Structures are given as structure tokens and as C-alpha cells.
Amino acid sequence: MITLKSTREIDAMAESGALLADVHIALRDFIKPGITSWDIEEFVDDYITKHGGIAAQKGFEGYEYATCVSINDEICHGFPRKEALKDGDLIKVDMCVDLKGALSDSCWSYVVGKSTPELDHLMAVTKKALYVGIEQAQVGNRIGDIGHAIQTYVESEDLAVVREFIGHGIGPTIHESPAVPHYGEAGKGLRLKEGMVITIEPMVNTGTWKSKMDDNGWTARTKDGGLSCQFEHTLAITKEGPRVLTSQKDQ
């Protein structure tokens, strides 16, 4: 079922999103060579709790952690762990915040230490793909318009869009209808209505779009070992256009 949110509910989700965005901003200085993804997990969980929120991923469908920290060829749902991050690692930090019952969801990518031209290109294309999709999140457009715009742009840059993991509605639980693929045909799919709140979260790979699953049953990684990048915002569909609820002020 798709729930349409009131202005009051969207405002509450924006407050939750502002807290989540602040965590990502803080991570820019925290992430460096030598720390572990477990250090990131503890930092995020502590930050959210100290600011009155709840790390909403904990316990969701049996997941045990406040964050997903996916490294290099891991596409999504990487478990936090205690191996040190090294210079040039590409990490994706995904989290959900519950602030007084209002939910938000955002993933951001970071390069540990020094970057490379390949990483810079992958990061830039993935981030632009997010905003290309957001531009299509207009009242009256269709879900397919979002995915088509993302897929067309990413493939024009000789990169690939993951198919198996997609965006979604959010609130009152983390995963709601509608499904929001990052590929597809323009003019197809559900029509977007005022009050919908969705995530757009393209996952972009340097090689094949296909994935394989680790033995833990959660972590997906690229089938060919190529790098994977992701950026995600939560946004509301409004008459004035898409309202990004997890904006990082300068992002």
C-alpha cells in the first residue's frame, strides 16, 4: 500500500532527514585510512542516539547494525567489521534514522584517503545520476521516467546500473510501496502523486550490473569484482517539485 503524507508528516521526516544528513557531514572528517567500518558503525549509532534519534535499521528484517558499510566491490548491505580501511577504498555508508516516529534513509559514498581518476569518475557519475532521477520526481510523471533518466545517463558514461536493488517508498516503515527502479522505460509505471515519499538510490558499477550474494545472505557484490558506488536521498513529491528531505546543505 502507498501512503500519501501530509505536510506535517513530511516536515517531521525532513527533521529526521536533517539529523541523518548531519551524520554524513560528520563522516567526511571521520573517515580516513586506518579506521575500521566498525568504528564507523559505532560513530553513527552514537551520533544518532545522542541527538535524540533511533538507528532504525537495527532489527529491521533481522539486520543487526545501525549502518550498512559496503566496501569496493560490495554493492550494498555490507556488515560493519574490524579490518582497517586503506587508502583508496571506496565505501558506501547507508543508514536510516527514526526521529520521533519519522523516518529518513540516505546512503553516501566516500573515498578513504587519496582518490584515483577511475574513482572520481564513478563517484561523479553516480551522484549526478541521483539528481538526474530526482529531477523526474514530479507530480504527474511516472516511476519509469525516473529509472529511464538514470539508466540513459549512466550508460552514456560507460557504466552500469544495478537492477536487483532499487529505491522504495518510506514511512510508516522503512520499505513501502512503490518500488523505484533505477532503469526502465519513460512513460511507464505508476504515476507520481503529491504526498508520496520515496528514496532514489542508484547503485552504479564499473563493470557488469549483475550481482552475487555473500554467504551471510545480506551482502551483495558485483559479479565481476568491479567497483560499485551509491548515493541516496529521501524525497517528497510536492506540487512545487521534489523536496529532498536528506539534503546535506551543500549536497
Side-chain angles (χ1 to χ4, degrees), residues 9-19 102-104 243-246:
E9 289 171 317
I10 291 171
D11 287 344
M13 294 179 82
E15 289 185 24
S16 174
L19 171 54
L103 293 173
S104 57
R243 178 182 175 188
V244 177
L245 306 181
T246 49

Side-chain angles (χ1 to χ4, degrees), residues 120-171:
D120 290 343
H121 180 244
L122 177 60
M123 296 264 286
V125 170
T126 309
K127 185 183 288 186
K128 184 173 179 179
L130 168 62
Y131 291 104
V132 164
I134 289 172
E135 287 173 4
Q136 296 298 317
Q138 308 281 348
V139 172
N141 277 4
R142 294 187 179 273
I143 290 287
D145 296 325
I146 296 172
H148 178 76
I150 292 171
Q151 181 181 11
T152 300
Y153 168 65
V154 169
E155 291 179 354
S156 76
E157 295 287 342
D158 296 321
L159 297 170
V161 178
V162 171
R163 308 290 201 274
E164 298 95 330
F165 301 94
I166 59 178
H168 51 85
I170 182 170

